[in-house]
Amino acid sequence: MGALFGKSKNKPVSRVTEQDKAVLQLKQQRDKLKQYQKKVQKQLERERLLAKQLLSDGKKEKAKLLLKKKKYQENLMDKTENQIDNIERMVQDLEYAQIEVQVVQGLQTGNEALAKIHRLMSIEDVERIMDETADSIEYQREIDELLSGALTQEDEEDVLEELAQIMKESLPEVPVEMEEEEEMEKEEVAELPTVPSQEPKGRMVNYENIHRET
C-alpha cells in the first residue's frame, strides 16, 4: 500500500528548459574538444623532438614521414579550433535568445497587468473622479468662505482680545524689582507740591507800594 501511494505522488516540475539542456550539451562538447587540443598539442611537441632526433641519427625518410603526420594533426587542430569557435558562438546565441525570451515574457506580463488596470479604471472613470474631486474642492472653498464671513461683532472682539493676550504673553516679563521701583517713583512724584500757574497777588501789591515810596 505504501509503495502504491508513493508512486502516486506528483514529481516536482523541473525548471530546466530544453534550451538549458542544449547549452549544457554544447558546453560539454566544447570542453571535450579543448581537452583533445591539449592532448594533441603535447603529442605534436613530442613528434617534433622525435623528428629532430631521427635527423640526427641520419634517418631522414622516417623524420619526413613523422613530420607529415605532424602536419596532418596540425590541420586537425585548426579544424578543432574552428569547431570550438562555432560551439561557443552557438552557446552565446542560445543564451542571448533565452534572455530575449525572458524580456518578451516580461513585456507580455506587463501588458497584461496594464490591461487589467485599464479594465478596472477606464478613461470615463478617471474623468468622473477628477470632476468629483474638483466639485469637492469647490464645495470646501465655499464652506470656508461662509465660515470666514459668519463671525458676529462679539466674535470679532473676542478674536481681537485673544490676539492682544497672545501679544502680551509674547513680550518679555518685567522683573519684580523694576516694577517696585516704578511704583516708588510714581508715589514720590505724587507727593511733590504743585507749581502755581499764576503769580500770587500779594507779591504784586508789595511791589507797587515799594515803587510809590521811592
Side-chain angles (χ1 to χ4, degrees):
M1 293 293 291
L4 180 61
F5 285 112
K7 291 181 180 179
S8 63
K9 292 182 180 180
N10 294 327
K11 293 182 179 180
V13 179
S14 177
R15 296 183 179 181
V16 179
T17 63
E18 295 297 327
Q19 292 80 7
D20 294 331
K21 293 179 181 179
V23 169
L24 180 60
Q25 291 177 358
L26 288 172
K27 287 182 177 181
Q28 289 175 347
Q29 292 176 4
R30 178 199 62 190
D31 294 339
K32 289 180 180 180
L33 288 175
K34 286 184 176 182
Q35 291 176 0
Y36 172 76
Q37 272 186 326
K38 292 179 181 180
K39 179 181 178 181
V40 173
Q41 186 64 35
K42 291 180 180 180
Q43 185 176 353
L44 292 175
E45 293 175 358
R46 289 196 301 267
E47 289 179 351
R48 189 173 187 280
L49 293 174
L50 181 58
K52 186 177 181 181
Q53 182 64 38
L54 289 173
L55 287 174
S56 299
D57 296 340
K59 299 177 181 180
K60 183 178 178 180
E61 292 298 326
K62 289 186 177 180
K64 184 178 179 181
L65 181 62
L66 187 60
L67 290 176
K68 288 182 178 181
K69 179 182 178 183
K70 177 176 176 293
K71 186 61 178 178
Y72 175 75
Q73 290 177 336
E74 287 176 350
N75 292 333
L76 290 179
M77 286 283 291
D78 293 337
K79 292 181 180 179
T80 303
E81 186 66 30
N82 292 332
Q83 290 177 355
I84 291 175
D85 292 339
N86 292 332
I87 290 174
E88 289 182 345
R89 191 178 299 110
M90 181 64 69
V91 169
Q92 292 175 358
D93 292 341
L94 283 172
E95 290 177 343
Y96 186 74
Q98 287 179 313
I99 295 174
E100 287 182 329
V101 170
Q102 293 175 358
V103 171
V104 172
Q105 290 176 349
L107 291 173
Q108 183 178 359
T109 303
N111 289 332
E112 291 176 355
L114 284 175
K116 290 180 181 179
I117 293 174
H118 292 160
R119 286 195 295 269
L120 292 174
M121 184 176 295
S122 62
I123 296 177
E124 291 77 9
D125 294 333
V126 175
E127 292 177 349
R128 177 179 55 80
I129 292 172
M130 296 298 294
D131 293 338
E132 292 177 353
T133 303
D135 294 340
S136 300
I137 294 174
E138 181 65 20
Y139 181 72
Q140 183 63 39
R141 187 182 63 80
E142 293 177 359
I143 292 176
D144 294 339
E145 291 179 354
L146 290 174
L147 290 176
S148 61
L151 297 178
T152 62
Q153 183 64 30
E154 184 178 359
D155 295 332
E156 294 287 348
E157 293 176 356
D158 291 339
V159 171
L160 294 175
E161 182 179 353
E162 185 176 1
L163 178 62
Q165 181 66 28
I166 294 173
M167 294 174 64
K168 183 178 179 182
E169 293 175 356
S170 61
L171 293 175
E173 297 182 358
V174 181
V176 179
E177 296 179 356
M178 293 181 64
E179 292 181 354
E180 293 178 354
E181 291 179 359
E182 291 179 358
E183 292 294 333
M184 291 176 63
E185 289 178 359
K186 290 180 181 179
E187 292 178 357
E188 291 177 357
V189 171
E191 292 176 356
L192 291 175
T194 58
V195 179
S197 59
Q198 297 179 356
E199 189 177 356
K201 294 181 180 181
R203 183 177 297 177
M204 292 178 64
V205 172
N206 292 336
Y207 178 76
E208 291 176 357
N209 292 334
I210 294 171
H211 182 68
R212 289 175 182 177
E213 290 178 357
T214 58

